[in-house]
Each structure stands twice: as structure tokens, then as C-alpha cells.
Amino acid sequence: MPRQNISSGTPWEPIVGYSRAVRIGNHISVSGTTATGPDGKIVGAGDTYIQTLQTLRNIEAELQRAAATMENVIRKRIYVIDIAEWEKIGRAHGEFFKDIRPATSMVQVSKLIAPEMLVEIEADAIVQG
């Protein structure tokens, strides 16, 4: 099956050696995604809810580049700096997935790649055909 590497155009992708998303056949994996805005800066500094919403919008955009939608998501992994914020993260997550209900994990990590990042999310999707 042909492989489609999907890039967001950041300078880090070729340096680190990763793609924003990869599609092989009907399977799409979206790399760990944060609340980066169009200007490359983190949206919602200090606000876990806003960062979660922006992160999910970014995932949605990458899925669209791979000819998929949020309805195709079957699995997500949510990494958070403070698990005590789970209700805010869950509320934002529910705005996108309350009817889709993919398999999901949420785990606390000691830190993400930049101190202003509070949430990072990975997603896997399967499309028909």
C-alpha cells in the first residue's frame, strides 16, 4: 500500500524525522499534537481547556489533509501536565467526541517539549474504502 506522509511545514519535521500524520491504506496516525496556532505560538497560555480545543482543531485539520474527519477517529492518547485538570480537558474533548466516543487514554507526564504546553494528543483513524 502506498504511504502518504502529511507535513504541516514546521522546520522540526525534517530535523527530527517525523510527519504530522501518516496514511497507509485506510489507516491514519496523527502525531502528538499541541495547541499551536497559525503563527507557531501556543494558543491559550495557562488554560488547559483552550489548549485542548486548539489541539483538537489542529488534529481535525490534519485529518482533513488525509481525507478523513473526526468521525473516523478510533483511538486517542492524551498527555497532560496536570491530571487534576482532567475535567476541563474532558469537557473540551466531549465537544468533539461526545457522539463518536473513540477509545481514549489520558495520562499525566512530567513535562512536554515546551513549558507553555499543557496538553498533547495523538490520534488514530480508519476511513472506509
Side-chain angles (χ1 to χ4, degrees), residues 4-123:
Q4 177 188 6
N5 288 345
I6 299 162
S7 173
S8 62
T10 68
W12 301 111
E13 291 172 22
I15 293 168
V16 176
Y18 75 97
S19 295
R20 173 61 29 220
V22 175
R23 179 174 179 163
I24 297 177
N26 64 350
H27 185 261
I28 302 158
S29 290
V30 180
S31 290
T33 303
T34 60
T36 307
D39 62 358
K41 295 181 180 171
I42 296 298
V43 173
D47 189 324
T48 306
Y49 173 76
I50 296 297
Q51 284 199 20
T52 303
L53 287 177
Q54 181 63 40
T55 299
L56 292 169
R57 287 184 196 114
N58 291 347
I59 288 171
E60 186 173 45
E62 296 311 321
L63 287 170
Q64 288 173 352
R65 288 183 195 190
T69 67
M70 294 295 240
E71 287 80 20
N72 299 117
V73 173
I74 61 162
R75 175 98 172 107
K76 288 194 348 320
R77 291 160 205 86
I78 305 170
Y79 304 99
V80 302
I81 296 302
D82 183 0
I83 200 74
E85 297 281 303
W86 73 268
E87 288 182 88
K88 293 177 186 176
I89 297 161
R91 184 165 40 97
H93 183 271
E95 290 183 28
F96 285 84
F97 291 106
K98 69 178 179 178
D99 295 325
I100 302 165
R101 299 178 61 186
T104 302
S105 301
M106 184 186 305
V107 296
Q108 179 172 311
V109 296
S110 62
K111 60 177 97 171
L112 296 171
I113 202 160
E116 64 273 16
M117 294 176 180
L118 305 175
V119 177
E120 183 169 332
I121 302 174
E122 300 173 343

